Amino acid sequence: MPPEATPFCNGDAAVASCSKPLNELFSSLPTTIFEVMSKLAMEHSSVNLGQGFPDAEGPETMKQIASKAMYDFHNQYPSLLGIPELRQAVARHSEANQGIPVDWATETLVTVGATEGLASCFLGLLNPGDEVIMFDPMYDSYVSMARRSGAAIVPVRLRLPDFSVPLEELAAAVGPRTKMIMLNSPHNPSGKVFTRTELKAVADLCTRHDVIALCDEVYEHLVFGGAKHISLRSLPGMAERCVRLGSAGKTFSFTAWKVGWMTGPSRLLNPIIKAHQFLVFTVPSSLQRAVAHGLDQESDFYLSLGPTLEVKRRYLERELVALGFGVLPAHGAYFLVADVSKFLRSGEDDVAFAKRLTVEGGVTTIPISGFYVGAIPPTHLVRFCYCKEDSKLEAAVERLKAYLAPAEESGGDERGGR
């Protein structure tokens, strides 16, 4: 090695010479509130109603097919687009459930969960300087991956208490640089199901201003209370402007499988496929075969999710209201947003309350402010995830009663927050 050469970051002594900045976006991201609350829940043996995954798993037949497929088929790279069986099942599922015909050979792609699908969409469709309209609050991966593509986020805040779309503000947010509107329905974190009127307003803006729509519809079957999920892609003029994403994790309660899919016009899918190719290339074929079976043969499971979840939500809503929480309306997904104003101590916000409730009360929630991108988010709301076994929900309710019950109901003992 020449005298002037030095090892590149070789050991502790070289750390000082490795001071060139790493990726500014990801290096500057704080620890997510989900990780903070989950870690706190584990440390304090809390009943965790924060993390959004179900306790009950999907059909046994799908597990058997996934296991058997590892022995019956080769385990080498499948097509980067996904195996034909699953892509055909995705096309059939689209037409059967939303009335949207899909050419499986040119308009489908299988992804490593919907999250990778979202990343591929942002990277494949957006250029630096493009603007993306997103509804605030929102799932946190949207912002970081869209910004990584070089795009700017234009948040449009949904109105409380029902998270309705401010149509005038939405229209005003569209400008000459608007490339995409990001739509998540049913919505995380609120559980809102976008109405036909709201969807039509989005569709009209897209067609009028030549804008793409990216539709995260992973909770499409998790609807209840008389609501109906309507895909934006089913509206007139939107089939050629929309990319629509689904997820086996949400449809079949197998969140660890990380199998997602998207449908859309080949014009939009082509650059997305290139991004997918260089991010992950492909998806485990044994899991794909199981999901193909599920979409075709296990509709009884995913069509029963909404009614099952409605029972759980009604139970939790009733108990929370009795304790003094204000429960915001929702008709989809498995999240309940509650107003905790009554329980906030002086100077306390939703984050501090959620941490205190975990440590002292033994129940974990997620503060809603962590889902907002715009300035001055609401700080009096928390999210409960209720896709849990009944015994866990009941245990959480008992702990909430013990910690937050009014003093007169607890023998004069001043309980948490009083």
Side-chain angles (χ1 to χ4, degrees), residues 35-85:
E35 184 177 348
V36 170
M37 297 309 300
S38 293
K39 181 180 180 182
L40 207 60
M42 292 181 62
E43 290 175 353
H44 295 274
S45 300
S46 171
V47 178
N48 192 348
L49 301 187
Q51 279 191 296
F53 63 83
D55 284 342
E57 295 188 340
E60 189 68 22
T61 54
M62 293 178 66
K63 297 181 184 180
Q64 294 169 353
I65 289 170
S67 177
K68 189 170 185 292
M70 294 184 69
Y71 295 93
D72 291 350
F73 298 89
H74 68 76
N75 290 277
Q76 310 309 321
Y77 296 128
S79 165
L80 70 90
L81 299 175
I83 64 171
E85 297 97 312

Side-chain angles (χ1 to χ4, degrees), residues 274-323:
K274 299 294 177 60
H276 165 78
Q277 177 180 2
F278 294 115
L279 279 174
V280 297
F281 181 56
T282 192
V283 181
S285 58
S286 56
L287 297 180
Q288 290 191 56
R289 290 186 167 89
V291 174
H293 165 85
L295 289 176
D296 279 339
Q297 303 297 330
E298 301 292 350
S299 60
D300 286 350
F301 177 83
Y302 57 73
L303 293 178
S304 71
L305 287 173
T308 299
L309 289 169
E310 184 173 19
V311 173
K312 293 178 181 293
R313 179 185 168 90
R314 284 181 175 176
Y315 165 74
L316 184 59
E317 180 176 5
R318 182 177 66 249
E319 298 293 341
L320 292 178
V321 169
L323 279 169

